[in-house]
Amino acid sequence: MAMHDIRVTVNGTPHDAQVESRLLLVHLLRDQLRLTGTHIGCDTTHCGACTVLLDGQPVKSCTVLAVQADGRQVATVEGLEKDGKLHPIQEGFWEKHGLQCGYCTPGMMMTSCALLAKNKNPSEAEIREAISGNLCRCTGYVNIVKAVQFAAERLR
Amino acid sequence: MIPGPFDYHAPGTLPEALALLSKYGEDAKVLSGGQSLLPLLKLRLGQVGHLVDIGRIPGLEYVREDGGFLKIGGRTRESALEASEAVRARYPILLDTARVIADPVVRNMATVGGNLAHGDPGNDHPATMLALGAQVVAIGPKGERVIPIEKFFLGLFRTALRPDEVLTEIRVPAPPARSGGAYVKLERKVGDYATAGVAVQVTLDGKGAFERVGIGLTNLGPTPIKASEAEKSLVGKRPDAAAMAEASRLVAKASSPTADRRGAVDYKREMARVLTGRALKSAVERAGGR
Amino acid sequence: MQPKTSPEVGGMGHSMKRKEDPRFIRGKGNYVDDISLPGMLWMDIVRSPFAHAKIKKIDTEKALKVPGVLAVITGETLAKFNLHWMPTLMSDTQMVLPTEKVMYQAQEVAAVIATSRYAAADGVDAVEVEYEQLPVVVDPYKALEPNAPVLRTDKKDKKDNRIFHWEAGDRAGTEKAFAEADVKVKQDLYIPRIHVASIETCGCVADFDRVNGKLTVYMTTQAPHAIRTVFALVAGHVGLSEERIRIISPDIGGGFGGKVPVYPGYVIAVAASVVIGKPVKWIEDRMENLQADSFARDYHITAELAAKKDGTITALRMKTLADHGYTDAAANPSKFPAGLFSICTGSYDVKKAFVEVDGVYTNKPPGGIAYRCSFRVTEAVHAIERITDVLAQQLKMDPADLRMKNFIPKEKFPYKSALGWEYDSGDYPRALQLAMEKIGYQALRKEQAEKRARGELMGIGISSFTEIVGAGPSKTFDILGIKMFDSCELRVHPTGKAIARFGTKSQGQGHETTYAQIIAEELGIPASAVQVEEGDTDTAPYGLGTYASRSTPTAGAAGAMAARKVREKARKIAAYLLEVSEDDLVWETGKFSVKGAPSRSKTIQEIAFAAYTNHPQGMEAGLEAVDYYDPPNLTFPFGSYICVVDIDRGTGMVKIRRFVAVDDCGNIINPMIVDGQIHGGLTMGMAPALLEEISYDENGNVQGGSFMDYLLPTAMETPAWELGKTVTPSPHHPFGAKGVGESATVGAPPAIVNAVVDALAHLGVKHVDIPITPEKVWRILKEKGVAE
């Protein structure tokens, strides 16, 4: 089967890779680029632990082929902190205890970032809807909502 | 979790895509949003030799009102449909539908065309498009053809699309005045397929009686279902309780669901009836009727 | 409770931000699948499609031709090293890989070792197995019938499918009480199988270093030391020796009890690494996880209460059939094959009680203890809280009144229950009262009456539970013989900072923060300056791990005791430095000062420095202590939960309108973390009540084996939980704390069921089994003629 030469820009840095057609984007990020902040939690596109931004939109990277990301921009959790300064969403999750085991957290934060880029003052209902594609087993979502509200306030 | 091996092509133009589809025939599949196809490949249910990704072809993502139709590019993302001004203002039934497809993150990749072309009676757009009386535009090596939606769904995972065609556009006729529609989906949780889903699109006449009724059903049979008998039963009648109840009963009759974890056959049939009542009520309200 | 220390010190009661978060929010957690070692190989597993079948042939020829595949391991391979079977934590036996037959669908049949993740998956696809199907037993009642096929043909002389019979209490006395009762109620309840489904699945990287003869296993485990000892015992005969086995439990993406057992995948990976001499990574995917490991519940219970006309409960009786799957691989303390089920007299002063549990084999995956159950307390509480409501309904008494009437009064603590537990402390009426106030109970009852008259269905359900956690005292608690103490090793550095290592292992509970807060409270060293470590068996003191809400009661206690030992040595050093006798010193957080001359003092930091630079002659240098804490008793957190539901008469959908949870876990280390545990626990209580179930058809095919049908709640299904607290300290715990991690998962389901039944009670409904699906409710409504 053919291999493909692709260039994917991740968190602003272009990466060249030679990949099988079937390589999932999440495996490119984790196994080849060693950006292990994006996690895998299921095999049926439900859990959202693998959520990254593809050209600014949250997508489940387990259900995107690496080749589909050729020439495009991917943003992962590793790119949130800039020059040693945490992104407000990271601050929010920390301040408000929006994480416990931390496994769903990168995906949650990426989805939340995209929400806040579109909606500067989301209501609780809007936040819950926006993160309804991201499963958490630890927090019961209450503090995740608070974390996003905290970040929204910081960003305004 | 890991798909079996396949070849991947990313043509830059539609003719290139069509050439690839012709070349590989049944061994090729179109990759649009990938949110139905890739999960199947990851579970190794269904082998495919070649994926033809239409994601690089320009001009396939749009929502515009033109010539009496709402025209939706085949590769339009569900999230774009949700965000479209035209849809929000004038096609609330489409907003209802887009909002309950999978979950918000999946909707950034999933496409309207893919939702129809996959031929899955569990997908949500088919019922809505049936209710709206939409048309599907397919382009193949011999050119463009327009397929009425009632003729589009042939069987389980089978549509009228030929292996060498690409679904490029969906056309929804702009509803006349005094029209309204709603899609009601019963799901166990966000992200689930429908236990039952009912789409209703109506137009009322000057006296407030039903002039046109479209009713489509999700996951209540081996294909998406057009509930013709129920539709006909309403034409000419006023939207009173008796008429709506009779139509709902006929929808249940038109349903042939299979039993699964979402429910037994009798439960699903009953839900078809209950949801029809709710969808009708909402459609009539939106049409300005009572 | 007001904290005694300043926020800078961060002792008990401070909602300090978690110390572990900086790495998680940056995506720099170190989970098992993040680990990559030079030369690492991948392992993937071939699984049986059948629930019960002989293995006729395993053909590996095609698989071995797949590029990247190096080897295929079968039961025959392992049998050469006598590793094809292993003991379970309940001293039963379990297959690692089968040589004769498989006994559950998705059972491990062979393992493929390859140079990449993708090649291993391709290899699995190419292994060809020929099976001869055998009759399947999935109904535990059928499994007990005289002509049922005997499943454990590997056990010589086994003629049936029984595993154990366990009982507690006074059978004859209870029978007499029932015979004399004014009122009796009886209810069958089935609590189906569910699955922890932590977002991270199970896996390991097994790394055998041939040169040094050392095995290191990075593993998703909640109990690394126990695993190490088990490996040494199981594989000692192939040369693995305990001092040369290192288990590292790095960051764990949720455990909930599902990462306690030793799964075959781990053992196969270890064997592969030992044989090949390279690191071997095995990470199961979600469907494997749901279908083959970590299940919980599967209890068929008949619950009975006897009572006086006025509602005073006089006796309780429960009979349970426990479906364990094909082997008893539950992770119970060894003397308790039914866990702590005998807590089922609950919060009530029940004078006579008798319970019995029978375990049975079926063709299903093994297990039973998981999903925040506190060792079967979820089952026990579900039963008592349900049967209490059944009694209330029978007596036409308000369920709150019935509970208040029967609660063990505060003055009776420590309370000896009829089934042998000594509850340490409790104030049940206060918690229920607070819950009722918070939810506006009387107003809701009024609203319900009005709605009922209009045909609208609304229900209010109460659960007043008593939990039992902190296993446990060495006289009664052990796992595979290892006593259930836990430990802390605390060392203070010259500059007054500290490192504390524990025998437990957090999977999100925040130990790096809460344990530091305990040390801060005892010694006045700021929590931010106390580094907490867990999970590496080469460095951490021996402990039994984190599950069943035991960490704060055992390891937390050990931390406090170790800190007090340090403080005692610090006192001696302070006395020396200040040239007074120890009795002349007064301790306040962070320093010793001279009685009557408070300006003459030494801070803990000054004392620490002196421990290395100026310690008294005859005393050892250094400032450290180890404590292995043997708890004198368990702890008994409790609470009252009230749930309000509205039912859609058309679809049967149940919507939780409000849920108030009042919890009492004694003295609280970090209120924010405790609340987080409750939020998560409530969500994992709601999920089994309304959404989750693993079931099997008559051929043993699993239903609910992927997230398509195993329904985890999203933020949309989850209500905005409302919390309250009361604080009733544990009299025997060093700082009065109890565990809390599982309280909400224990208490919530019956509150929800009670609410649904309450909504339908006027129609004559007495009980509904979980999960309460819309279809189940609709069927009831239809039968009662009130469906829309």
Side-chain angles (χ1 to χ4, degrees):
Chain A
M1 296 275 141
M3 297 289 279
H4 301 269
D5 291 310
I6 62 173
R7 169 169 289 191
V8 184
T9 303
V10 184
N11 302 326
T13 305
H15 293 275
D16 292 322
Q18 200 180 65
V19 303
E20 286 185 77
S21 307
R22 62 175 171 161
L23 182 72
L24 303 175
L25 177 59
V26 68
H27 287 138
L28 173 75
L29 294 170
R30 289 182 52 79
D31 293 341
Q32 291 202 23
L33 302 183
R34 299 301 301 149
L35 294 167
T36 57
T38 303
H39 299 139
I40 295 172
C42 78
D43 37 30
T44 50
T45 321
H46 283 94
C47 78
C50 64
T51 305
V52 300
L53 301 186
L54 182 61
D55 291 336
Q57 294 302 315
V59 300
K60 298 192 179 185
S61 63
C62 71
T63 309
V64 176
L65 298 172
V67 286
Q68 287 177 282
D70 183 20
R72 302 173 73 176
Q73 306 269 346
V74 176
T76 70
V77 60
E78 288 91 344
L80 288 176
E81 188 180 10
K82 299 249 190 309
D83 302 317
K85 201 163 172 300
L86 290 174
H87 188 288
I89 197 70
Q90 291 173 299
E91 287 181 339
F93 271 76
W94 194 5
E95 281 295 325
K96 295 296 175 184
H97 189 34
L99 66 135
Q100 291 181 24
C101 80
Y103 201 75
C104 78
T105 308
M108 277 293 175
M109 292 194 300
M110 299 319 288
T111 296
S112 303
C113 270
L115 168 68
L116 295 177
K118 269 194 331 208
N119 183 344
K120 303 255 177 287
N121 193 8
S123 65
E124 173 161 357
E126 285 169 327
I127 296 171
R128 284 177 177 269
E129 207 207 327
I131 63 172
S132 61
N134 292 80
L135 296 177
C136 175
R137 220 33 175 159
C138 294
T139 67
Y141 305 106
V142 175
N143 287 346
I144 291 178
V145 169
K146 293 198 179 127
V148 177
Q149 289 169 330
F150 177 99
E153 212 188 290
R154 276 284 159 92
L155 286 167
R156 279 202 292 277
Chain B
M1 171 77 198
I2 315 274
F6 51 78
D7 273 335
Y8 168 89
H9 314 268
T13 69
L14 201 47
E16 278 172 53
L18 296 175
L20 286 163
L21 290 173
S22 292
K23 179 172 179 195
Y24 295 114
E26 299 278 352
D27 199 26
K29 283 222 109 198
V30 170
L31 178 67
S32 185
Q35 305 300 285
S36 291
L37 183 56
L38 292 177
L40 280 182
L41 295 180
K42 284 165 66 181
L43 295 177
R44 301 200 179 203
L45 299 167
Q47 268 284 78
V48 72
H50 299 267
L51 282 194
V52 177
D53 184 0
I54 58 169
R56 309 282 172 179
I57 301 171
L60 289 179
E61 289 186 48
Y62 52 86
V63 180
R64 55 172 178 259
E65 292 170 293
D66 170 27
F69 286 92
L70 179 74
K71 293 182 176 173
I72 306 168
R75 214 187 60 223
T76 302
R77 311 285 167 179
E78 299 291 355
S79 51
L81 198 68
E82 258 183 280
S84 148
E85 292 268 27
V87 167
R88 297 185 91 97
R90 287 175 284 288
Y91 296 83
I93 188 179
L94 280 174
L95 181 63
D96 286 349
T97 310
R99 290 191 64 196
V100 294
I101 291 173
D103 63 62
V105 179
V106 169
R107 293 202 287 276
N108 287 323
M109 285 298 288
T111 65
V112 184
N115 200 267
L116 295 175
H118 196 59
D120 187 348
N123 280 345
D124 298 288
H125 274 304
T128 297
M129 295 304 175
L130 282 168
L132 287 165
Q135 299 165 336
V136 168
V137 179
I139 299 192
K142 300 198 185 91
E144 181 184 288
R145 60 186 185 113
V146 179
I147 310 166
I149 194 77
E150 316 83 71
K151 298 210 160 37
F152 189 71
F153 303 106
L154 302 179
L156 189 60
F157 299 116
R158 270 193 317 121
T159 69
L161 269 187
R162 298 194 195 106
D164 57 4
E165 285 179 317
V166 173
L167 194 165
T168 54
E169 185 175 272
I170 300 110
R171 293 179 185 161
V172 177
R178 287 188 300 272
S179 295
Y183 180 61
V184 179
K185 173 179 179 177
L186 178 63
E187 54 182 358
R188 298 172 296 178
K189 59 166 255 195
V190 167
D192 198 11
Y193 285 99
T195 301
V198 179
V200 171
Q201 177 73 19
V202 305
T203 302
L204 305 176
D205 67 21
K207 297 198 213 85
F210 288 110
E211 188 173 271
R212 180 200 169 273
V213 179
I215 302 178
L217 308 181
T218 301
N219 230 4
L220 289 163
T223 65
I225 294 172
K226 183 169 156 68
S228 311
E229 214 187 325
E231 291 170 346
K232 290 193 185 88
S233 81
L234 286 170
V235 173
K237 294 219 183 81
R238 291 193 53 79
D240 58 36
M244 315 246 265
E246 176 61 7
S248 302
R249 192 189 65 78
L250 289 169
V251 164
K253 188 159 160 266
S255 309
S256 54
T258 40
D260 61 20
R261 272 200 146 205
R262 291 181 193 88
V265 168
D266 62 340
Y267 175 65
K268 289 187 180 185
R269 272 224 176 86
E270 265 300 285
M271 291 308 100
R273 185 185 66 77
V274 170
L275 296 185
T276 302
R278 295 180 186 188
L280 268 172
K281 191 160 172 287
S282 180
V284 166
E285 265 164 33
R286 285 173 174 172
R290 216 79 73 69
Chain C
M1 191 187 93
Q2 273 295 91
K4 289 201 289 238
T5 58
S6 67
E8 290 72 42
V9 169
M12 298 265 305
H14 286 286
S15 287
M16 68 178 283
K17 270 162 51 167
R18 292 197 335 169
K19 298 174 70 197
E20 45 267 84
D21 286 359
R23 62 184 185 275
F24 295 129
I25 58 178
R26 292 174 169 86
K28 296 289 185 199
N30 190 31
Y31 302 93
V32 171
D33 197 15
D34 298 344
I35 293 164
S36 180
L37 300 178
M40 189 171 78
L41 303 172
W42 270 262
M43 183 176 110
D44 200 349
I45 296 181
V46 178
R47 294 180 181 273
S48 168
F50 302 116
H52 196 198
K54 281 204 191 116
I55 297 176
K56 306 289 286 181
K57 187 164 182 268
I58 301 180
D59 190 340
T60 61
E61 199 192 315
K62 288 205 182 99
L64 289 167
K65 292 206 179 85
V66 171
V69 171
L70 300 177
V72 181
I73 301 175
T74 64
E76 300 294 335
T77 327
L78 294 182
K80 293 197 188 87
F81 306 96
N82 203 25
L83 280 177
H84 53 313
W85 282 82
M86 60 177 172
T88 70
L89 293 173
M90 288 308 287
S91 301
D92 199 338
T93 51
Q94 177 175 7
M95 286 177 266
V96 178
L97 284 174
T99 48
E100 302 198 21
K101 66 172 187 172
V102 291
M103 285 208 262
Y104 62 95
Q105 187 183 57
Q107 182 175 348
E108 301 79 1
V109 171
V112 171
I113 312 291
T115 51
S116 77
R117 200 189 287 273
Y118 282 49
D122 290 342
V124 163
D125 226 23
V127 172
E128 294 170 318
V129 186
E130 215 181 288
Y131 298 94
E132 181 189 301
Q133 291 183 63
L134 296 168
V136 172
V137 181
V138 287
D139 181 328
Y141 290 98
K142 291 214 172 87
L144 291 176
E145 282 167 9
N147 49 1
V150 174
L151 297 179
R152 296 300 299 268
T153 48
D154 59 285
K155 288 174 187 278
K156 284 191 182 42
D157 307 325
K158 185 111 186 97
K159 298 210 173 8
D160 58 31
N161 293 313
R162 290 177 193 282
I163 312 177
F164 64 81
H165 172 82
W166 176 86
E167 53 182 67
D170 175 4
R171 189 195 283 269
T174 302
E175 253 175 63
K176 184 161 178 288
F178 269 85
E180 293 166 358
D182 295 336
V183 181
K184 287 193 285 257
V185 287
K186 184 175 187 173
Q187 182 62 54
D188 289 334
L189 332 104
Y190 175 48
I191 302 180
R193 280 198 175 210
I194 50 177
H195 193 288
V196 302
S198 46
I199 307 298
E200 179 202 34
T201 61
C202 299
C204 68
V205 179
D207 181 17
F208 183 68
D209 169 356
R210 272 192 180 146
V211 171
N212 295 302
K214 180 151 185 179
L215 172 70
T216 302
V217 188
Y218 301 86
M219 193 170 155
T220 51
T221 175
Q222 299 173 231
H225 291 92
I227 299 294
R228 185 188 74 192
T229 306
V230 167
F231 276 3
L233 294 173
V234 165
H237 65 282
V238 297
L240 287 185
S241 177
E242 194 167 10
E243 86 284 8
R244 278 177 287 125
I245 300 173
R246 181 182 185 191
I247 307 294
I248 299 178
S249 183
D251 289 321
I252 306 294
F256 314 114
K259 289 171 177 162
V260 172
V262 179
Y263 297 120
Y266 302 137
V267 179
I268 306 167
V270 166
S273 183
V274 170
V275 167
I276 300 174
K278 288 208 163 115
V280 174
K281 174 183 271 194
W282 168 65
I283 306 289
E284 59 176 10
D285 66 28
R286 177 59 61 189
M287 288 170 67
E288 295 179 281
N289 172 257
L290 289 173
Q291 296 179 25
D293 59 47
S294 306
F295 95 85
R297 315 286 189 273
D298 218 345
Y299 258 28
H300 302 256
I301 306 172
T302 301
E304 300 177 83
L305 283 181
K308 297 196 189 134
K309 275 198 293 283
D310 69 355
T312 308
I313 296 171
T314 54
L316 172 149
R317 191 159 52 200
M318 295 215 195
K319 187 169 161 66
T320 298
L321 187 58
D323 184 336
H324 274 269
Y326 91 95
T327 187
D328 188 354
N332 278 313
S334 70
K335 295 178 179 62
F336 298 91
L340 306 181
F341 187 73
S342 52
I343 194 63
C344 58
T345 53
S347 308
Y348 313 112
D349 192 2
V350 181
K351 302 285 192 295
K352 288 280 173 215
F354 177 71
V355 302
E356 50 183 329
V357 180
D358 287 281
V360 63
Y361 291 130
T362 58
N363 285 120
K364 296 174 188 166
I369 292 297
Y371 208 121
R372 279 174 119 148
C373 72
S374 290
F375 301 129
R376 299 288 185 187
V377 180
T378 38
E379 291 87 324
V381 167
H382 198 96
I384 180 65
E385 286 306 294
R386 272 271 61 235
I387 196 68
T388 299
D389 254 38
V390 171
L391 178 63
Q393 198 179 349
Q394 173 94 340
L395 293 171
K396 297 194 187 353
M397 240 179 120
D398 183 296
D401 291 339
L402 181 62
R403 284 174 170 80
M404 288 289 195
K405 191 176 188 61
N406 284 285
F407 278 152
I408 301 160
K410 191 168 177 201
E411 314 78 64
K412 274 201 169 178
F413 287 87
Y415 170 84
K416 196 77 194 279
S417 84
L419 293 174
W421 297 111
E422 188 184 276
Y423 295 18
D424 60 359
S425 65
D427 189 351
Y428 304 143
R430 188 159 151 248
L432 179 55
Q433 191 61 41
L434 179 57
M436 290 169 75
E437 277 158 24
K438 279 178 100 64
I439 206 154
Y441 189 76
Q442 305 304 343
L444 285 169
R445 283 289 176 210
K446 203 159 159 283
E447 184 196 341
Q448 182 184 43
E450 288 161 11
K451 284 208 150 102
R452 219 166 241 180
R454 294 199 297 271
E456 287 171 46
L457 300 171
M458 164 192 164
I460 307 156
I462 302 174
S463 164
S464 293
F465 65 94
T466 293
E467 248 272 57
I468 171 173
V469 300
S474 56
K475 358 190 238 311
T476 27
F477 287 86
D478 68 90
I479 292 196
L480 276 184
I482 307 171
K483 299 295 183 184
M484 295 184 75
F485 52 84
D486 227 284
S487 58
C488 169
E489 182 188 287
L490 171 64
R491 176 170 303 137
V492 185
H493 307 315
T495 54
K497 316 284 195 265
I499 182 165
R501 295 181 167 121
F502 294 80
T504 48
K505 176 62 208 172
S506 176
Q507 321 103 43
Q509 295 92 328
H511 294 173
E512 285 171 48
T513 308
T514 54
Y515 286 171
Q517 289 184 256
I518 296 169
I519 308 294
E521 181 75 16
E522 297 288 339
L523 289 178
I525 298 175
S528 57
V530 179
Q531 184 189 342
V532 170
E533 286 184 0
E534 291 174 306
D536 182 339
T537 59
D538 265 7
T539 51
Y542 205 101
L544 271 285
T546 293
Y547 43 82
S549 309
R550 66 185 297 274
S551 300
T552 296
T554 61
M561 301 307 281
R564 290 172 196 181
K565 289 179 188 173
V566 162
R567 199 162 77 213
E568 283 322 295
K569 180 166 184 179
R571 180 187 290 268
K572 292 181 165 56
I573 296 175
Y576 167 75
L577 294 173
L578 291 166
E579 294 173 325
V580 295
S581 90
E582 288 179 51
D583 300 324
D584 291 331
L585 288 175
V586 167
W587 168 261
E588 63 187 275
T589 307
K591 68 177 184 221
F592 281 106
S593 49
V594 179
K595 272 189 200 144
S599 61
R600 295 192 58 223
S601 64
K602 288 290 172 194
T603 65
I604 188 71
Q605 287 80 10
E606 290 168 319
I607 294 166
F609 195 71
Y612 295 88
T613 62
N614 185 17
H615 60 282
Q617 290 300 298
M619 175 193 277
E620 285 181 20
L623 189 59
E624 64 188 65
V626 178
D627 191 84
Y628 283 80
Y629 188 76
D630 186 354
N633 191 6
L634 297 153
T635 64
F636 296 78
F638 61 93
S640 269
Y641 294 170
I642 307 187
C643 175
V644 184
V645 301
D646 297 292
I647 298 181
D648 182 323
R649 277 180 42 233
T651 61
M653 266 210 122
V654 171
K655 183 127 177 54
I656 297 179
R657 190 204 302 177
R658 283 186 70 194
F659 195 110
V660 162
V662 171
D663 278 277
D664 192 317
C665 57
N667 288 332
I668 291 176
I669 304 167
N670 183 320
M672 182 176 74
I673 288 182
V674 168
D675 283 357
Q677 291 299 300
I678 310 269
H679 294 149
L682 290 172
T683 308
M684 285 181 95
M686 173 189 81
L690 298 178
L691 290 163
E692 294 179 14
E693 183 179 8
I694 303 253
S695 59
Y696 296 84
D697 69 16
E698 71 268 14
N699 294 313
N701 295 312
V702 69
Q703 320 286 310
S706 81
F707 278 172
M708 192 80 76
D709 279 310
Y710 193 74
L711 307 174
L712 267 60
T714 71
M716 295 291 280
E717 289 77 44
T718 308
W721 308 110
E722 298 169 63
L723 308 192
K725 293 286 179 307
T726 61
V727 178
T728 310
S730 168
H732 67 75
H733 185 277
F735 50 90
K738 304 183 179 180
V740 75
E742 294 163 309
S743 288
T745 305
V746 164
I752 297 169
V753 180
N754 286 345
V756 173
V757 173
D758 183 64
L760 305 170
H762 62 295
L763 304 167
V765 174
K766 264 180 56 181
H767 177 71
V768 183
D769 271 339
I770 56 175
I772 303 184
T773 60
E775 184 182 349
K776 255 186 209 170
V777 175
W778 173 80
R779 257 181 223 294
I780 294 171
L781 299 178
K782 185 157 171 274
E783 194 208 328
K784 301 291 181 190
V786 297
E788 187 182 292

